[in-house]
């Protein structure tokens, strides 16, 4: 087995399930669901390029380029087709992998790429402000993450109930938003300037989901229904943009739904 480019965490046994986080965080953004998923799947969770322990891309960090790295790492791990759970940019990469024939099933939570121009500008403003604020206060992230009231300002843009998130999830914004390398290039090329193509060729089960309290994505997730054949949409009631700790049981059930549909094909 050859070496991977990204840093990966692996746990559990079963069919391979890859977790892909969004911009500004790390694989620890899935801490609320990872253990439960590892009871049924072999869970593989990377830090995307430039985040956490993974080096940044030297080339333009478009969705295609980021997907190239994920696909190459899957090859290095000996994995041809995997189940995918992604959030935000990670969900967009999951759909790109599905278009390339690398997915057995996909759960895509608030995937980026279908924003209208004003929505893109708004999302860029929110993500950029979060980056700027957390860089200024990055020395306080660790102590704030240790208490529920401190997790609220750290995760307010991502969670509907940030105080319910774990310390692990909150601390992920330090190697993410506060310290991610090439953050601005990734925000521009992979989120704000990205326009999905080829989604009509996806032939695996796709479950789309978005929190009803997600005030970052607007109404973009249901727009993927018309682009992805056979996809279904599931609202996550009362959940935010990155709702892993807002609705962990529901997210796990969505993964089971998608993987069960894949077995029926």
């Amino acid at each position: 087995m050859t070496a991977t480019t990204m840093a990966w965490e692996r746990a559990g046994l079963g069919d391979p399930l890859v977790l892909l986080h969004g911009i500004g965080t790390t694989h620890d953004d899935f801490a609320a669901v990872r253990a439960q998923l590892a009871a049924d799947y072999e869970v593989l969770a990377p830090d995307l390029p430039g985040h956490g322990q993974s080096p940044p891309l030297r080339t333009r960090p478009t969705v295609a380029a980021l997907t190239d790295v994920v696909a190459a790492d899957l090859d290095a791990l000996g994995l041809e087709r995997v189940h995918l759970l992604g959030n935000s940019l990670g969900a967009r990469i999951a759909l790109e992998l599905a278009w390339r024939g690398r997915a057995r099933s996909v759960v895509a939570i608030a995937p980026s790429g279908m924003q209208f121009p004003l929505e893109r500008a708004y999302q860029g403003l929110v993500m950029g402000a979060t980056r700027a604020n957390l860089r200024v206060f990055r020395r306080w992230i660790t102590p704030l993450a240790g208490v529920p009231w401190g997790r609220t300002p750290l995760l307010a843009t991502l969670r509907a109930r940030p105080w319910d998130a774990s310390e692990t999830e909150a601390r992920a914004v330090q190697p993410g938003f506060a310290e991610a390398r090439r953050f601005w290039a990734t925000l521009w090329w992979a989120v704000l300037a990205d326009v999905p193509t080829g989604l009509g060729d996806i032939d695996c089960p796709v479950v789309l989901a978005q929190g009803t309290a997600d005030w970052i994505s607007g109404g973009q997730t249901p727009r993927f229904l018309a682009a992805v054949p056979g996809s279904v949409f599931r609202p996550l009631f009362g959940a935010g943009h990155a709702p892993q700790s807002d609705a962990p049981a529901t997210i796990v059930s969505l993964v089971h739904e998608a993987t069960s549909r894949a077995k029926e094909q």
Side-chain angles (χ1 to χ4, degrees):
M1 184 176 69
T2 58
T4 60
T5 297
M6 300 182 295
W8 290 76
E9 180 176 284
R10 303 179 74 166
L13 296 172
D15 291 339
L17 170 67
V18 174
L19 313 183
L20 298 172
H21 64 80
I23 189 172
T25 183
T26 71
H27 72 275
D28 279 333
D29 205 36
F30 289 99
V33 298
R34 198 164 53 209
Q36 191 170 350
L37 290 170
D40 298 302
Y41 307 94
E42 180 187 15
V43 175
L44 302 100
D47 290 338
L48 291 176
H51 295 72
Q53 300 300 310
S54 295
L57 292 184
R58 296 182 179 180
T59 58
R60 183 177 292 173
T62 61
V63 167
L66 294 169
T67 306
D68 286 343
V69 176
V70 178
D73 273 14
L74 292 178
D75 291 339
L77 293 167
L79 299 171
E80 182 178 356
R81 298 180 72 229
V82 296
H83 300 292
L84 293 161
L85 167 62
N87 175 224
S88 195
L89 173 58
R92 174 70 183 93
I93 294 170
L95 292 171
E96 187 78 2
L97 285 166
W99 172 65
R100 298 186 187 193
R102 301 302 299 265
R104 297 171 64 182
S105 71
V106 174
V107 176
I109 303 173
S112 56
M114 286 287 187
Q115 311 99 312
F116 294 141
L118 287 179
E119 291 173 327
R120 291 176 189 263
Y122 170 76
Q123 188 167 357
L125 179 64
V126 172
M127 294 289 99
T130 302
R131 161 73 168 192
N133 289 335
L134 288 176
R135 279 195 65 79
V136 170
F137 295 102
R138 60 186 179 274
R139 71 177 62 184
W140 302 106
I141 290 175
T142 296
L144 286 172
V147 291
W149 63 264
R151 293 194 279 273
T152 299
L154 295 179
L155 295 172
T157 57
L158 302 176
R159 306 286 201 266
R161 296 184 301 280
W163 52 88
D164 286 339
S166 66
E167 180 177 355
T168 298
E169 294 166 80
R171 292 180 71 169
V173 301
Q174 180 145 6
F177 274 109
E179 298 173 354
R181 284 85 71 202
R182 301 203 69 197
F183 175 89
W184 296 108
T186 303
L187 177 62
W188 173 254
W189 290 110
V191 179
L192 302 182
D194 174 57
V195 178
T197 59
L199 300 181
D201 295 327
I202 294 175
D203 61 358
C204 69
V206 173
V207 177
L208 302 163
Q210 184 176 340
T212 60
D214 177 356
W215 50 276
I216 293 177
S217 293
Q220 68 173 306
T221 303
R223 297 170 196 154
F224 281 90
L225 285 168
V228 181
S231 59
V232 297
F233 176 72
R234 304 284 185 256
L236 302 174
F237 295 102
H241 178 68
Q244 288 83 304
S245 59
D246 290 332
T250 304
I251 291 172
V252 171
S253 70
L254 293 181
V255 172
H256 289 319
E257 175 187 347
T259 58
S260 295
R261 286 177 55 197
K263 291 178 181 178
E264 294 170 358
Q265 287 188 341

